[in-house]
Amino acid sequence: MSGEGYAIVLRCRSWSEALRAKRFTWDQIADVIALVHEVGPLRCYRLAHGRTAVDVVDELNALDPAGTATLREGRLYDFEAWPAAGRRPTARVLALLAQVYQTRARNLLTGEVFATYSAHDRDVIDRADFRHLDPFQPFSSCPVQQQRVSMDDEAHPGGPRRVTARSAAEAAALSVESCTALFRAVSAEEADMKRRELLLELSLALGGAPALALLRQLDPDEEARLARVVRAQGRVDAETVATIEKLIARCRRLDDTYGPAKVLSVVEAQRKLVARLLGTQSLLPGLRARLVHAYAELAQLAGYLHYDRLDYPAAERAFDAGLEAAHETGDAVLVAYIHHWHSWMAAFRGDAGTALDHAFATQGWTRRGGSDLVRACNAVSSAWAHGLAGQATEALRGLEAAKSWADRPTSIEPPYLYWVRESRGMEGASCFVYTALGNARKAADTAASQLKALGSGYTRERAFGLIHHGMALIQSKEIPAATAKLSEAVTIMRTHSSARLAHMLTQARQRLEPWSDNAHVRSLDERLRSVAVA
């Protein structure tokens, strides 16, 4: 076997191990390999198993019950090359190969080649079915130990850590359909075979098909550095950490536009990768601090994405992991920022006490940091908590402080706070406070002001602004105008996966219940049903 041929076997073996861990059958893995390598079914199955021709020949010869099999490596290559070249395999050899590959012999041939066999040989081939040997086949009677996977088992900067509660989102691995979609997407997008294989490898390691949008942002050197750490073949250097930081920043932007469905798996996969690097590599103090900081950012972002899916337990665990890492780095601004989102999530759930607790914690850490934008975040989260508690004076005072801090950022603001200024974030946040206080006019005016200045990349914020504006108009009994705003928000929901948007729309629709027979409300109901919001 040539060096290049052996390299292909090794790459396919690596993919196969990853896909078997996701409970792919050998047949499914062979289908995936066929999307990448334009070879016949016989070679696809050998590559799916990650075996050399010598490996297969040795096992096949050992399986022959009569002890008369003398298949040679060269002959196997002839069989794999047929019908373009080589020689057609006999029905008896196909039956033995099906046993080696734990499939049915019919899967090892194309329809055109199968038709060239005699009726007797076709019957032999049809009866040779060894799929029961594959424990992942759905009809297999072989017991398979069920494994539970948790992000918290690995996504921790010090190494694995156990928790008692597990999130379904965290426990989910890439599905068969997702992996197959990934292979098809890469095959359609990339013609160069070597780059196709690299993109597949990186995408599998970074959460599946959504990772492709991120990988397009990397240059060849960045891809190569990332591939080395994914394969555990190289040491982490400053450039590698910079690549990880670049991907984190891009994930935040993608979430602004598309929501957690396209980003969460990628963020959690990056969190796993960084946790593994921190647990396995000896790093210089400065480099380790940067990598721990990257982990803290990933945990904060993961927590936010889980929160946006309304998966509160998973969000809390991710935020807590981020706090632990941020404490290790000594970054007071990042600690404060994570406490802010803890507070904001509690307020969204209507838990004013917990929201105030985290708001006070945020306030303490902001005094140690130098970020005025985080001070703005703290002021608005405190305002919402006070508003929920019925403390209107304190809430309004917090909104004034938030606007003041947001208008005068320092020259050293962290990059992850970009949204505060770009999306007029304090105006959007203020709408939640005014809604809690029942001040419909201020909520409507503030939402309208934000919407007028909002850029195209902030899809979720635009939808929230429309919903707040619509809810304010409902309170003013301006039903046609209210349903128009809410209908616009429903349209946005078709492209953004935030569960909070659906939750808010449901609340808005409940306020319209007295007008259920109104034609505008009935039209809104039709739109809501089209996006599965009752």
Side-chain angles (χ1 to χ4, degrees), residues 126-249:
D126 278 332
R127 285 188 288 107
D129 189 345
F130 296 93
R131 288 176 292 173
H132 63 279
L133 297 176
D134 183 350
F136 295 157
Q137 284 286 354
F139 54 79
S140 173
S141 61
C142 302
V144 179
Q145 182 178 357
Q146 297 296 320
Q147 297 180 345
R148 301 181 69 187
V149 181
S150 167
M151 293 294 178
D152 288 308
D153 289 345
E154 40 51 58
H156 186 267
R161 178 180 66 175
R162 287 283 174 185
V163 293
T164 54
R166 299 177 190 271
S167 159
E170 287 179 324
L174 283 179
S175 66
V176 171
E177 293 77 10
S178 296
C179 288
T180 304
L182 166 63
F183 280 85
R184 293 188 184 280
V186 174
S187 300
E189 178 177 314
E190 184 55 56
D192 181 79
M193 184 64 71
K194 289 187 176 180
R195 176 162 168 74
R196 183 188 297 179
E197 291 177 349
L198 178 62
L199 287 176
L200 283 171
E201 180 181 12
L202 292 177
S203 297
L204 280 172
L206 294 177
L212 283 175
L214 296 177
L215 295 173
R216 294 190 194 105
Q217 309 298 316
L218 303 182
D219 61 38
D221 288 340
E222 290 171 328
E223 288 179 350
R225 281 193 293 271
L226 192 59
R228 283 195 294 272
V229 297
V230 164
R231 298 167 186 156
Q233 293 177 343
R235 296 191 61 78
V236 175
D237 55 18
E239 289 77 14
T240 304
V241 179
T243 299
I244 293 170
E245 292 167 343
K246 179 177 179 178
L247 291 177
I248 297 170

Side-chain angles (χ1 to χ4, degrees), residues 244-491:
I244 293 170
E245 292 167 343
K246 179 177 179 178
L247 291 177
I248 297 170
R250 182 57 183 160
C251 281
R252 293 185 185 277
R253 295 288 187 172
L254 286 176
D255 170 60
D256 292 335
T257 304
Y258 301 109
K262 283 187 176 292
V263 186
L264 180 57
S265 64
V266 181
V267 170
E268 289 288 26
Q270 287 184 79
R271 193 155 72 105
K272 281 186 176 183
L273 174 62
V274 174
R276 174 171 66 78
L277 296 176
L278 288 167
T280 59
Q281 296 225 0
S282 297
L283 302 168
L284 292 172
L287 199 57
R288 177 177 174 80
R290 279 184 67 187
L291 201 56
V292 172
H293 193 278
Y295 177 87
E297 277 203 50
L298 284 165
Q300 178 275 315
L301 180 54
Y304 175 79
L305 295 171
H306 283 298
Y307 155 53
D308 203 30
R309 290 167 56 96
L310 302 183
D311 188 350
Y312 300 123
E316 288 173 353
R317 291 196 295 276
F319 284 147
D320 289 344
L323 282 173
E324 187 173 342
H327 278 294
E328 181 179 332
T329 66
D331 187 339
V333 173
L334 186 52
V335 172
Y337 188 58
I338 297 174
H339 274 297
H340 157 72
W341 282 114
H342 253 310
S343 176
W344 198 256
M345 181 173 70
F348 192 85
R349 300 173 70 177
D351 185 351
T354 302
L356 278 170
D357 287 344
H358 282 289
F360 288 140
T362 307
Q363 185 178 53
W365 284 98
T366 55
R367 291 170 180 159
R368 305 187 196 183
S371 168
D372 285 351
L373 295 185
V374 161
R375 288 187 174 92
C377 291
N378 174 228
V380 78
S381 58
S382 297
W384 194 7
H386 285 300
L388 291 171
Q391 300 164 347
T393 301
E394 290 84 350
L396 294 173
R397 187 183 298 125
L399 292 183
E400 287 297 319
K403 184 179 184 304
S404 175
W405 288 119
D407 287 342
R408 53 181 190 187
T410 68
S411 59
I412 54 171
E413 296 290 349
Y416 53 78
L417 292 171
Y418 66 92
W419 62 273
V420 176
R421 300 273 293 173
E422 288 186 14
S423 71
R424 306 285 289 271
M426 292 305 100
E427 285 185 321
S430 296
C431 290
F432 286 92
V433 183
Y434 288 129
T435 299
L437 294 174
N439 192 331
R441 181 50 52 195
K442 285 294 291 184
D445 291 346
T446 304
S449 174
Q450 184 198 25
L451 289 169
K452 191 177 297 183
L454 201 58
S456 59
Y458 292 95
T459 309
R460 175 175 40 226
E461 283 65 31
R462 180 170 297 280
F464 273 133
L466 289 166
I467 294 169
H468 282 298
H469 200 169
M471 292 172 78
L473 291 169
I474 293 171
Q475 190 171 339
S476 302
K477 295 184 172 56
E478 300 177 53
I479 306 306
T483 55
K485 296 296 180 184
L486 297 177
S487 294
E488 284 187 63
V490 173
T491 301

